[in-house]
Amino acid sequence: MLIGLFFIGIIGGMFIPFQTSINSKLNMYTKSPIYASTISFGVGTIFLILLNLLLNPTVLTFSYLEQQSMNFYWVAGGLLGVIFLTGNLLLLPKLGASLTVVITLTGQMIMSVIIDTFGWLGATVQPFTFFKAVGIILLILGIVLMNYVRNPSKKTTNTYLYVWLFLGFVFGFCPPLQTAINSQLGQQLNSTIMASLISFIVGFITLLIIKILTNKNFILENNDKESGRLKPLYFVGGIFGVIFITVNIFLMPYLGAALTTIAGMLGQMLMALIIDQFGLLGIPKNKITFRKSIGIALIIIGIILLRFF
């Protein structure tokens, strides 16, 4: 059963590269990453409202909401999602895409293991062992091999590089904490998709406030010189985000924070490799190299050590 659940987590993670690609397309018409993210969260919120109305409409009634006890779980999950999103927007220009991925995934891995080791936020306690430490090291090495791009012609002269690396590491704490908090909320509400809806509502409102404070221009262009006319497809990124978040909330009680994070991470990297290999979504082809193959092997060994030892 655990293998099946882990496989579901991998599939959930595979939606993230599609969401990223679609949101990047939408960004060409919004001319603002925050605005594109706000639209994405808004679409995800509408989708979740319809999903709740279809599957469990009672959770949207005033009588149901009055019976619930409000606590920090209701807002923390959505805020952590926004912090991670905004953090990546800050890191990309400073560190580049590859280094941003490496440092944030490292933070995610470390925080998820801490959550499991100490049983934070209702997680089942899973003792930390020597083999798990080796597994974490192999996972990080695998992540580095799959994402790091050497560029000898460009030397880093930023004296604050290590500050940005530390911030990236801390930003990586957000997704595992968000998953654990949303999972607790889902158990409290007895509804995974309602917990997802609350997280998306909080995220949407927060991003909308940030957008208003930074730029009140809500113009959405219909044409872009490179991509042509705006297509309805460019608005569905939020739905892919809903799938990923909801899957994580569902899996957390069964797999724990570390394996849930690893499953999503592995799904993201595998789909990214497929997209690169075949040049999907308009991305130039980038063949799988021996270095990336070694990275995948190290990640798989690390997962085995974390799961069975």
Side-chain angles (χ1 to χ4, degrees):
M1 179 179 175
L2 287 178
I3 294 176
L5 292 174
F6 189 79
F7 184 68
I8 291 174
I10 292 175
I11 294 175
M14 286 181 167
F15 284 94
I16 295 301
F18 288 105
Q19 181 192 25
T20 301
S21 177
I22 289 172
N23 284 349
S24 66
K25 288 284 188 181
L26 183 60
N27 184 45
M28 294 180 179
Y29 300 90
T30 60
K31 308 302 180 185
S32 166
I34 291 292
Y35 189 14
S37 298
T38 304
I39 293 174
S40 181
F41 267 74
V43 171
T45 298
I46 294 171
F47 177 70
L48 279 165
I49 290 173
L50 295 174
L51 204 59
N52 276 282
L53 285 172
L54 180 65
L55 300 177
N56 191 12
T58 57
V59 299
L60 297 178
T61 60
F62 285 109
S63 59
Y64 173 84
L65 294 175
E66 286 176 350
Q67 295 173 4
Q68 305 304 318
S69 57
M70 300 285 289
N71 52 40
F72 85 100
Y73 292 145
W74 286 67
V75 296
L79 289 177
L80 285 168
V82 172
I83 291 171
F84 183 66
L85 173 67
T86 307
N88 275 274
L89 294 176
L90 293 172
L91 291 171
L92 277 171
K94 303 295 183 180
L95 300 179
S98 297
L99 197 52
T100 297
V101 169
V102 169
I103 197 64
T104 54
L105 284 180
T106 302
Q108 290 180 52
M109 193 65 260
I110 298 300
M111 178 50 68
S112 62
V113 171
I114 291 173
I115 291 172
D116 284 345
T117 301
F118 295 100
W120 289 357
L121 301 167
T124 302
V125 175
Q126 300 181 20
F128 189 75
T129 64
F130 170 77
F131 289 106
K132 286 186 177 182
V134 175
I136 292 172
I137 294 171
L138 291 178
L139 277 167
I140 294 173
L141 286 175
I143 292 168
V144 171
L145 286 173
M146 289 188 65
N147 292 280
Y148 181 67
V149 178
R150 187 179 179 184
N151 187 3
S153 63
K154 183 179 180 181
K155 295 182 180 181
T156 301
T157 57
N158 184 2
T159 55
Y160 296 102
L161 173 64
Y162 293 106
V163 174
W164 287 109
L165 286 172
F166 174 75
L167 287 175
F169 181 70
V170 173
F171 285 141
F173 294 171
C174 293
L177 288 170
Q178 180 188 25
T179 298
I181 288 170
N182 284 344
S183 178
Q184 282 294 102
L185 180 60
Q187 294 177 55
Q188 176 185 324
L189 299 173
N190 198 28
S191 172
T192 299
I193 55 175
M194 183 58 178
S196 295
L197 174 58
I198 292 170
S199 182
F200 264 77
I201 288 175
V202 172
F204 171 68
I205 293 173
T206 304
L207 283 168
L208 185 61
I209 292 172
I210 294 173
K211 169 61 179 169
I212 292 172
L213 292 176
T214 56
N215 186 351
K216 296 180 180 179
N217 183 3
F218 284 88
I219 295 175
L220 186 64
E221 297 183 4
N222 291 322
N223 285 281
D224 179 74
K225 292 181 180 179
E226 295 182 6
S227 301
R229 290 187 62 83
L230 178 64
K231 300 176 183 178
L233 175 65
Y234 300 155
F235 291 92
V236 302
I239 296 176
F240 293 146
V242 165
I243 295 171
F244 177 67
I245 293 295
T246 306
V247 165
N248 279 353
I249 294 173
F250 170 74
L251 292 177
M252 172 70 187
Y254 300 100
L255 297 182
L259 280 184
T260 299
T261 299
I262 292 169
M265 177 188 72
L266 188 58
Q268 293 176 55
M269 288 191 289
L270 287 175
M271 181 51 67
L273 286 175
I274 293 172
I275 291 172
D276 283 348
Q277 178 72 15
F278 298 101
L280 304 178
L281 304 174
I283 305 288
K285 287 186 178 181
N286 185 11
K287 298 292 185 179
I288 297 176
T289 62
F290 177 73
R291 174 174 55 81
K292 289 183 178 181
S293 300
I294 295 296
I296 294 173
L298 290 176
I299 288 172
I300 292 173
I301 296 172
I303 290 170
I304 293 173
L305 290 175
L306 280 167
R307 175 63 189 92
F308 296 104
F309 296 91

